[in-house]
Amino acid sequence: MTITTRALPRVLSDRNARLYLTASVISGFGTSALWLVSGVWVKDLTGSDGLAALCVLAMWAPTLAGPLLGTLADRTRRRPLLIGANLLMAALLPSLVTIDSPGRVWLLFAVLFVYGAAGVVHHAAESALVAGAVPAPLLGDFNGLRTTASEGTKLLAPLAGAGVYAAYGGASVALLDAMTFVLASGLYACLRVRGSTPEPPKGGWRAQTAEGARFLWAHGRLRPLVLAGGATMLFAGLNGAMTYAVVDTLGHAPAYAGVLYAVQGAGSVAIGLLSGPALRRLGERRFAACGIALAAVAAGLRAIPSDAVALVCSAAIGVGLPCVLIATLTAVQDAAPDALLGRIAATADTLVFTPNVIGLAVGAALVELLDVRAVLIVIGLVWPVTALAPLQRAARASRTATRSASDANPA
């Protein structure tokens, strides 16, 4: 535990890391608040559950264009791009004050779509800047602490957003979110970065986009982590779609899902604090593999109709899921060349997070057709086999390469 307690002061003593973390907390608070309120707002205006669900889809859809949007981070100066993405949303969100009837809901969907696209660009530029602005030995600790900060805001911001919405309406939440973007852009403007202006890529936009994808796919260290992350998020989506059915088997009202999500968030906060030392001790592949195994076992055990088991499993899933995500992001920042970092980070995000949307959609259909306990048991059995396979193949290839080098250069 001593190593862990030293990680926080080490990261916070770095000026750039402090600014990044503070900006992440502030903008993450506004995003989490709006994420919840947008669906409630649409539901209140239209009475439609389907339209309310489309709010999440509108924010996630631009992830599919991640490789293309990430190219922006390699074509322009990254710090101004990061500031510009925040100021764009700060300028667009106040337009939502005009929504006062079902006929104006289209405006919310349009803004949410731009919100998602700006988020993809933001993450690509931020990932590239972090790699140059935060010392390499602190990257694992920093990404873990950013996970802690993000999950911490997710525990508090939705409640705060719901309170503001109940008291003052959706427009007030939009204005609150706009203010967080303004504050975050000010913090990003204070960064002291070197090498934040990449050399202009050669070739057309399509060729530049493909270059990042080719590098990622050919890289023996990054590809297994991305594939494992994508498989993990697919099963995480399937598992997440079962939550309300699990609550039914426990005999609770749907609101009990909030308790399970809160416990899961607490687990993610904890692993964020531990991830830096764990990455250094275990390495990226083993750290990711341990997290995948823990989350998969916990998902399968949710088939047991017990409150205590459900709470423990939620905490275990919260601990396990971020491991492969933190390991992948840290590896990308460490291994990708600066000129390609924006494209590679955005491509990795697309490959990792798009399966989550697919898993949620498939899970929503399965939960209506099959017994939830049977589905959870299958998820618990298939998840580790599928998600761990790329890491196992990479480990075998690494051992083979080591033996070959030893045979070629005998002592």
Side-chain angles (χ1 to χ4, degrees), residues 17-98:
R18 286 198 309 273
L19 290 170
Y20 273 120
L21 287 173
T22 305
S24 294
V25 170
I26 291 173
S27 62
F29 185 91
T31 298
S32 296
L34 187 68
W35 172 80
L36 172 69
V37 165
S38 60
V40 177
W41 197 357
V42 170
K43 170 69 173 176
D44 285 344
L45 285 172
T46 67
S48 170
D49 291 326
L51 288 176
L54 285 179
C55 291
V56 178
L57 179 61
M59 294 183 73
W60 273 96
T63 306
L64 296 172
L68 188 64
L69 293 172
T71 305
L72 280 172
D74 294 333
R75 291 174 63 97
T76 60
R77 297 176 61 198
R78 287 163 179 161
R79 185 172 62 171
L81 179 62
L82 196 59
I83 296 169
N86 280 269
L87 292 179
L88 171 65
M89 291 315 305
L92 279 180
L93 284 166
S95 68
L96 299 183
V97 301
T98 63

Side-chain angles (χ1 to χ4, degrees), residues 8 20 33 58 62 86 99 105 129 166 183 195 201 237 246 256 288 290 302 307 311 330 385:
L8 182 60
Y20 273 120
N86 280 269
I99 298 177
V105 165
L129 272 176
L183 292 173
V246 169
Y256 188 73
C290 289
R302 292 215 301 169
D307 280 6
L311 292 170
T330 303
V385 174

Side-chain angles (χ1 to χ4, degrees), residues 29-404:
F29 185 91
T31 298
S32 296
L34 187 68
W35 172 80
L36 172 69
V37 165
S38 60
V40 177
W41 197 357
V42 170
K43 170 69 173 176
D44 285 344
L45 285 172
T46 67
S48 170
D49 291 326
L51 288 176
L54 285 179
C55 291
V56 178
L57 179 61
M59 294 183 73
W60 273 96
T63 306
L64 296 172
L68 188 64
L69 293 172
T71 305
L72 280 172
D74 294 333
R75 291 174 63 97
T76 60
R77 297 176 61 198
R78 287 163 179 161
R79 185 172 62 171
L81 179 62
L82 196 59
I83 296 169
N86 280 269
L87 292 179
L88 171 65
M89 291 315 305
L92 279 180
L93 284 166
S95 68
L96 299 183
V97 301
T98 63
I99 298 177
D100 55 4
S101 66
R104 300 285 295 174
V105 165
W106 67 267
L107 178 60
L108 177 58
F109 289 130
V111 170
L112 290 177
F113 184 83
V114 177
Y115 201 119
V120 173
V121 174
H122 179 284
H123 189 260
E126 185 183 57
S127 298
L129 272 176
V130 164
V134 176
L138 295 180
L139 280 176
D141 296 296
F142 173 83
N143 289 326
L145 287 175
R146 183 162 57 178
T147 297
T148 294
S150 174
E151 294 301 324
T153 58
K154 288 177 184 177
L155 294 176
L156 301 175
L159 294 176
V164 173
Y165 177 80
Y168 305 106
S172 297
V173 180
L175 293 175
L176 172 65
D177 195 13
M179 290 172 54
T180 65
F181 277 114
V182 172
L183 292 173
S185 66
L187 291 170
Y188 289 129
C190 296
L191 289 171
R192 297 171 182 168
V193 294
R194 297 181 302 276
S196 62
T197 307
E199 294 184 8
K202 298 178 180 179
W205 195 288
R206 181 182 298 178
Q208 295 166 18
T209 301
E211 189 178 4
R214 283 196 301 269
F215 180 93
L216 181 63
W217 193 252
H219 202 285
R221 176 183 171 193
L222 300 181
R223 185 179 68 240
L225 287 167
V226 170
L227 291 175
T232 294
M233 294 309 293
L234 172 66
F235 286 100
L238 289 168
N239 176 64
M242 305 293 136
T243 297
Y244 286 101
V246 169
V247 171
D248 285 341
T249 65
L250 297 175
H252 293 292
Y256 188 73
V259 177
L260 299 181
Y261 283 129
V263 173
Q264 181 174 327
S268 297
V269 168
I271 193 59
L273 295 172
L274 294 167
S275 62
L279 272 170
R280 285 189 289 272
R281 178 166 297 183
L282 298 175
E284 294 151 355
R285 287 200 298 263
R286 282 189 292 175
F287 178 61
C290 289
I292 291 169
L294 178 62
V297 170
L301 291 177
R302 292 215 301 169
I304 300 173
S306 162
D307 280 6
V309 172
L311 292 170
V312 171
C313 288
S314 292
I317 291 169
V319 170
L321 272 183
C323 293
V324 67
L325 305 180
I326 294 171
T328 301
L329 177 58
T330 303
V332 165
Q333 291 170 332
D334 181 61
D338 182 69
L340 294 173
L341 190 45
R343 282 165 282 178
I344 293 170
T347 301
D349 280 352
T350 297
L351 294 174
V352 169
F353 291 109
T354 299
N356 184 249
V357 181
I358 298 171
L360 285 168
V362 173
L366 290 178
V367 77
E368 297 291 338
L369 301 173
L370 303 173
D371 180 78
V372 63
R373 287 168 293 187
V375 175
L376 287 170
I377 290 171
V378 172
I379 289 174
L381 293 174
V382 179
W383 184 344
V385 174
T386 305
L388 292 176
L391 300 177
Q392 291 171 333
R393 287 195 295 268
R396 286 196 296 269
S398 178
R399 288 194 295 269
T400 300
T402 300
R403 286 197 298 269
S404 298

